[in-house]
Amino acid sequence: MGKHVAHIVWDWNGTLLHDIDAVMTATNASFAELGLEPLTLERYRDLYCVPVPRFYERLMGRLPTDEEWEVMDAAFHRHYREAARNAALAAGARELLADWHSAGLTQSLCSLASHDHLVPLVRTHGIDGYFTRVDGRVDPKQHGKTGQMARHLAALEGVSPERVVVIGDAVDDASAAAAAGAHAVLYTGGSQSRACLEAAGVPVVDTLAEAAELARELAGRRPVSGLN
């Protein structure tokens, strides 16, 4: 494998899995439990950030108390699991993964979704064979992806960070990539608006096909730093 051949690290929620409708349903259901007004998709995308408590701070004008956080977090995951049952892969995702794999190129998956839920879900969608590694969140107290991304890349055999391209739907994906010395491409089909994503200083695209094409071009270039 050439030193300038891209290895893609895919994000899951909002990137490969088109689950934004389920996320909105679960978010508004969790807000209702605390008497908060429902959000539109546009406002959600303008305000969403990681770590998630900061997102709630933007909405509430303060950080939620520990008790409020526990209520909202539990409610979100309860409603999300129900709403996401019918969530499909993003448009063209299955074909892109298959084509990348068939071309002899490598790819992996790094997500903040619970590892125990992520692995069987990826298998259910029939795409697990396309990845050299699948890593979900194992620490329930973990919010950002930076540390997890560093561990994920360290576990990839024979893959240098400078030829890694992280494809995700949030600024946190770009920040995690930059901290690990990798490239990033951000996709507008998920959790954040184009304006938010462009602030990361990395390429922003509207389709996963564009993201994969950019990955080929970025491999071997000096990575561009994202936001911290």
Side-chain angles (χ1 to χ4, degrees):
M1 187 75 66
K3 66 178 181 179
H4 298 316
V5 176
H7 171 94
I8 293 178
V9 176
W10 295 96
D11 173 56
W12 179 243
N13 300 101
T15 304
L16 289 179
L17 184 69
H18 183 69
D19 64 346
I20 189 63
D21 293 334
V23 167
M24 289 304 302
T25 296
T27 297
N28 284 328
S30 68
F31 284 3
E33 298 207 12
L34 289 181
L36 298 175
E37 292 294 320
L39 285 175
T40 63
L41 175 58
E42 182 179 19
R43 182 162 170 74
Y44 177 92
R45 283 176 163 162
D46 283 341
L47 295 179
Y48 179 79
C49 64
V50 176
V52 175
R54 286 177 54 195
F55 168 53
Y56 290 135
E57 182 180 22
R58 290 180 174 185
L59 291 166
M60 302 169 66
R62 61 175 174 80
L63 283 170
T65 64
D66 290 344
E67 292 77 11
E68 288 171 331
W69 167 252
E70 289 180 6
V71 169
M72 288 191 291
D73 189 53
F76 174 86
H77 286 97
R78 183 173 67 254
H79 290 285
Y80 175 82
R81 283 192 293 271
E82 178 66 27
R85 287 181 177 178
N86 296 320
L89 296 179
R94 187 182 307 277
E95 294 77 13
L96 279 172
L97 295 173
D99 289 348
W100 195 266
H101 182 73
S102 295
L105 303 172
T106 58
Q107 55 198 330
S108 56
L109 182 57
C110 183
S111 171
L112 288 178
S114 165
H115 186 79
D116 289 343
H117 288 102
L118 176 66
V119 172
L121 186 56
V122 171
R123 188 178 300 121
T124 296
H125 281 281
I127 57 174
D128 51 306
Y130 298 138
F131 303 114
T132 58
R133 186 175 183 88
V134 174
D135 284 324
R137 177 174 53 87
V138 294
D139 180 358
K141 295 182 178 180
Q142 174 191 333
H143 293 296
K145 191 180 279 188
T146 297
Q148 182 180 347
M149 183 64 68
R151 292 188 294 273
H152 181 80
L153 297 193
L156 297 175
E157 296 183 5
V159 179
S160 56
E162 63 268 19
R163 72 177 182 89
V164 169
V165 181
V166 176
I167 299 177
D169 70 316
V171 170
D172 187 52
D173 293 301
S175 298
H183 302 273
V185 178
L186 298 179
Y187 165 61
T188 61
S191 62
Q192 291 189 296
S193 67
R194 173 175 281 275
C196 291
L197 298 178
E198 287 177 343
V202 302
V204 177
V205 298
D206 295 319
T207 69
L208 295 184
E210 293 175 88
E213 186 60 35
L214 269 173
R216 294 177 183 270
E217 298 176 13
L218 289 171
R221 293 187 191 175
R222 184 175 180 177
V224 178
S225 296
L227 296 179
N228 292 321

